[in-house]
Amino acid sequence: MICPNCRSKDIGIIGSNQYYCWNCYIELSIHNNILHLHEVELDGSLSSLNDLFPEEERKLERS
């Protein structure tokens, strides 16, 4: 998997269908073959970054 934000391959698994980019520090999750991106705030809450990327770019093609 490649991070759509920074294009890094340094992605770790943190849960079922949940990933973390160690390069730009965002959390990624997969729901219905759509990638959802979140920034982890200082208080631990998540802020959505989905509006920065069109849905076409966030669709996953699985073989």
Side-chain angles (χ1 to χ4, degrees):
M1 179 184 293
I2 296 175
C3 176
N5 186 50
C6 69
R7 311 309 290 170
S8 172
K9 292 183 181 180
D10 195 13
I11 305 290
I13 297 173
I14 58 173
S16 177
N17 291 323
Q18 293 181 310
Y19 304 89
Y20 187 79
C21 178
W22 290 100
N23 190 54
C24 66
Y25 312 111
I26 64 169
E27 192 171 304
L28 308 104
S29 59
I30 301 170
H31 299 286
N32 297 325
N33 286 333
I34 303 287
L35 191 61
H36 298 274
L37 298 94
H38 295 90
E39 180 178 22
V40 181
E41 301 293 342
L42 292 175
D43 65 358
S45 63
L46 299 176
S47 295
S48 177
L49 299 175
N50 290 341
D51 58 336
L52 299 177
F53 302 92
E55 188 170 318
E56 303 85 49
E57 287 184 26
R58 296 185 294 118
K59 284 186 180 179
L60 298 178
E61 295 179 21
R62 296 187 182 197
S63 48

